[in-house]
Amino acid sequence: MFSGHQTSAESWGTGRAVARIPRVRGGGTHRSGQGAFGNMCRGGRMFAPTKTWRRWHRKIGVNQKRYAMVSAIAATSSPALVMSKGHMIQEVPEVPLVVSDKVQELSKTKEAVLMLKKHRAWTDVLKVYKSKRFRPGKGKMRNRRRIQRRGPLIIYNKDQGLTRAFRNIPGVDTICVEKLNLLKLAPGGHVGRFCIWTESAFRKLDSLYGTWRKESRRKKNYNLPMPKMTNTDLARILKSEEIQAVLRNPK
Amino acid sequence: MQSDDITWSIINKSFCSFKIQTKSQKFCRNEFNLTGLCSRSSCPLANTQYATVREEKGVIYLYMRTAERAFFPAKQWEKVKLSRNFVKALQQIDENLIFWKKYFRQKCRQRLLKITQYLTRMRKIKLGRQKKLVPIQRKVDLRIKRREEKALVAARIDNAIEKQLLQRLKDGTYERIYNFPQEAFNVRIDEEEEESEIEDEEEYEEEKEEEVETDEDVEGELEKEALEDERRDEMDSDDDDDDDDDDDGGDDEDEDSEEEHQFVADFDESDDDLEDAAERMAMSSDGDEYEEEVKGRSIVRRHPVSLRNIKSRGKARLEVEYEMPEDSSKEKVTT
């Protein structure tokens, strides 16, 4: 029973000098005689009312999901891609940024902020602060009032207070290596989020996803996807002697 | 070098935070970009081996980046200070980028030229006088103008000048300068206190031009002037009590002539009353009477004769100097 149909309205037909839209029966109230049922009527139901049983989920093969995951992780290691995403990593000492395991034991937000400042990741957080604004459009009245940028992502192995230390810093997300989330690694569908790894988390990646030489220990029968080209610099390849020697002269 | 092409395919097709697209062209906001355009060869993100020329505070540097340092963003740029001599700077660029792509050498040289040109232009402009354009805020200007006019009126400069001149006359600074017929002079002094001072000044000036007399006459006039002032002061003090009766409408007419002389003396005493007078004048522009609420009862009062007289002459608004016979203390006593 959707909204807009809670009336027993019937069209008056022709001959009454009114439009043929179904009208509300009865009398004694404003509502009587008003149009009903149409998407053009006031108080009528919308066109094609959206249903909850829309097919929301998509089946995607496990391998494809893992491929996406692995690509996203790889992208976080490319400073070019991280910068193009907009993160302020101009002064970060190294990319990917791997930090000692002591970070996992942080409990105070002050210490967390200090750690970010020491590793020159604080400028990214400042960018988040500056980007806090109201959403344009109706989302404001649909509980999506405020928006802000995404900041750095902290990837840890064992949470010994880390999540609570970084919880209140705007833009900063924390995630466990075992449960990496594509939505956090590539927010908005664009790869290259600025990630800060703890040492043990970084080491775990090998066992999680394998190397080309070894299979993954955690995922059954999984190995990293093989690249299409081992050397991707096509321009350089074409100019190389080996290839030029074989090419015939241009006419 | 390593995955530059992949990076470019991602940046170009998908999203780059430095890219600004206009209808005809793509720009790159990256501060290390050599040309400022977003293209495959000039993208600092898609070329790990990159060089730029940038200036900071008037000093021109050559920035270089190689593949080895690509993963240390803090240390990736090598900075070489270029000499101020343009030719030497060109040579420096060629030296440093000796085995680099021709593209970078060329673009760096072009950029160096542009930068030196605009720096010299900046220096030239600073030497000459710089005209600073200041916007006119029309509303503010109009407001100030209006206020100036009001201030001019409020200052009543003419009156001040008048007073000053008279004062000087009395003091005797113009002893030997102006010569008047004695009688005319005395009449003048009397009249000045009756009529508006603006009119006085005009007549005053006319009389100046009339006759020439000896200095002794002038001195005599001044003495008499002084005597008359004293006499008037005595008269003024007598009349004070009379004027303070609120309900004496009839008596006002008798005191006509006396009241008219009082202005100067009492003027100094009570400034508040004068202001009240102005208000009351403004409130009841019709007739000589006005209503006043004293402790709940409205009492009809007639304007003091001084004010009435002025009204008949049609100079109501400007004359604020006439005394108000009412005192608040007196009012309490009567009611």
Side-chain angles (χ1 to χ4, degrees), chain A residues 77-81 83-86 89-96 190-191 231-236, chain B residues 1-7 10-11 14-18 31 45-46 65 70-76:
Chain A
S77 75
S78 160
L81 288 175
M83 273 203 263
S84 84
K85 192 154 204 302
I89 55 162
Q90 276 81 0
E91 293 185 22
V92 169
E94 190 182 352
V95 168
H190 296 124
V191 291
N231 185 358
T232 51
D233 200 348
L234 187 64
R236 192 81 183 271
Chain B
M1 303 295 154
Q2 3 93 317
S3 73
D4 279 351
D5 279 329
I6 297 178
T7 319
I10 294 173
I11 290 173
S14 165
F15 176 74
C16 175
S17 67
F18 299 105
E31 47 187 9
L45 302 177
R65 179 181 65 187
F71 287 104
F72 307 102
K75 301 178 215 162
Q76 61 185 325

Side-chain angles (χ1 to χ4, degrees), chain B residues 168-183 185-186 189 204 207-208 211-226:
Chain B
R168 288 187 188 177
L169 242 193
K170 287 181 188 168
D171 292 340
T173 43
Y174 298 137
E175 266 188 46
R176 290 158 194 269
I177 301 171
Y178 297 119
N179 305 309
F180 307 103
Q182 200 178 40
E183 294 158 20
F185 190 75
N186 294 339
I189 296 289
Y204 206 74
E207 287 197 294
K208 270 191 272 168
E211 288 155 45
V212 180
E213 289 187 3
T214 58
D215 295 350
E216 297 161 45
D217 288 294
V218 174
E219 286 172 343
E221 288 161 30
L222 290 175
E223 286 167 33
K224 282 187 184 166
E225 217 195 329

Side-chain angles (χ1 to χ4, degrees), chain A residues 12-121:
Chain A
W12 288 355
T14 50
R16 297 260 228 129
V18 290
R20 290 179 278 173
I21 188 105
R23 291 174 185 279
V24 176
R25 290 156 173 254
T29 170
H30 278 295
R31 185 72 178 124
S32 49
Q34 284 182 349
F37 287 157
N39 54 321
M40 63 283 234
C41 300
R42 179 179 180 273
R45 51 123 181 80
M46 61 179 271
F47 161 73
T50 50
K51 306 288 186 199
T52 55
W53 56 85
R54 175 196 298 223
R55 185 169 74 108
W56 299 105
H57 302 98
R58 293 289 183 281
K59 278 196 234 178
I60 298 177
V62 176
N63 206 20
Q64 210 175 20
K65 287 193 221 174
R66 285 176 184 164
Y67 200 118
M69 192 53 168
V70 155
S71 319
I73 296 172
T76 65
S77 75
S78 160
L81 288 175
V82 178
M83 273 203 263
S84 84
K85 192 154 204 302
H87 292 283
M88 307 295 276
I89 55 162
Q90 276 81 0
E91 293 185 22
V92 169
E94 190 182 352
V95 168
L97 187 60
V98 183
V99 188
S100 87
D101 280 341
K102 282 198 190 157
V103 176
Q104 291 171 171
E105 289 163 23
L106 286 179
S107 60
K108 300 285 280 172
T109 311
K110 270 211 168 86
E111 294 168 15
V113 169
L114 188 65
M115 170 257 177
L116 287 174
K117 284 190 177 171
K118 289 271 165 152
H119 292 284
R120 308 269 185 262

